[in-house]
Amino acid sequence: MEITQKEIEKVSALDSNKRYSYFIKKVCDWETIWVMYNDEFGYALNIDKLDNSYLFVFPNKAFTNLYIENDTDFVDYKATKINLSTFLNELSKKFISKNVNSAFVFPVANGDGVNIKIENLCKDINDEINENY
């Protein structure tokens, strides 16, 4: 699950759609999803102009920490690992029930990431698992 600085730089430079593909592959390989969490505020969310909430998700602790280091809004958050099975079978449903219907997948320092419905994210992950694992 460790990655090199070179890989971090190379993957961070990819466009958001290529990072999304990397994300899907790696969360399946590593069987984890990473989020930002704060004991007082809970999971870090991105809230858009229409008041839609998006859960930030990352493929690895290093990418999560890099985002935290580059965004002062999340300085008090910690990279937190979630078992992929737990996310797919339990947490995704809990987020949706609390009107967190979407995910902000693998954003980088400039804020660029993929916005996707959580149910579609779960489908893409399950498709990858069914095809390649």
Side-chain angles (χ1 to χ4, degrees), residues 46-54 99:
N46 184 39
I47 301 173
D48 70 13
K49 294 174 186 171
L50 300 174
D51 213 27
N52 297 309
S53 297
Y54 298 81
N99 292 320

Side-chain angles (χ1 to χ4, degrees), residues 15 17 31 64 85 116:
D15 69 43
N17 290 324
E31 299 179 358
T64 313
S85 178
I116 187 169

Side-chain angles (χ1 to χ4, degrees), residues 64-120:
T64 313
N65 282 333
L66 184 62
Y67 192 85
I68 291 168
E69 291 167 12
N70 286 290
D71 192 321
T72 56
D73 289 340
F74 299 107
V75 69
D76 294 326
Y77 284 77
K78 292 189 170 136
T80 303
K81 178 172 53 171
I82 299 172
N83 175 281
L84 186 58
S85 178
T86 301
F87 179 82
L88 292 172
N89 298 315
E90 297 170 30
L91 284 180
S92 62
K93 292 167 184 62
K94 286 182 183 178
F95 285 117
I96 292 168
S97 75
K98 295 181 185 257
N99 292 320
V100 180
N101 297 314
S102 299
F104 192 37
V105 179
F106 200 177
V108 290
N110 67 5
D112 184 29
V114 172
N115 291 326
I116 187 169
K117 295 283 186 195
I118 288 178
E119 64 188 30
N120 293 339

Side-chain angles (χ1 to χ4, degrees), residues 1 32-36 56-61 64 79-81:
M1 188 139 126
T32 58
I33 283 184
W34 288 81
V35 297
M36 297 182 292
F56 285 87
V57 293
F58 301 87
N60 181 281
K61 183 178 184 177
T64 313
T80 303
K81 178 172 53 171

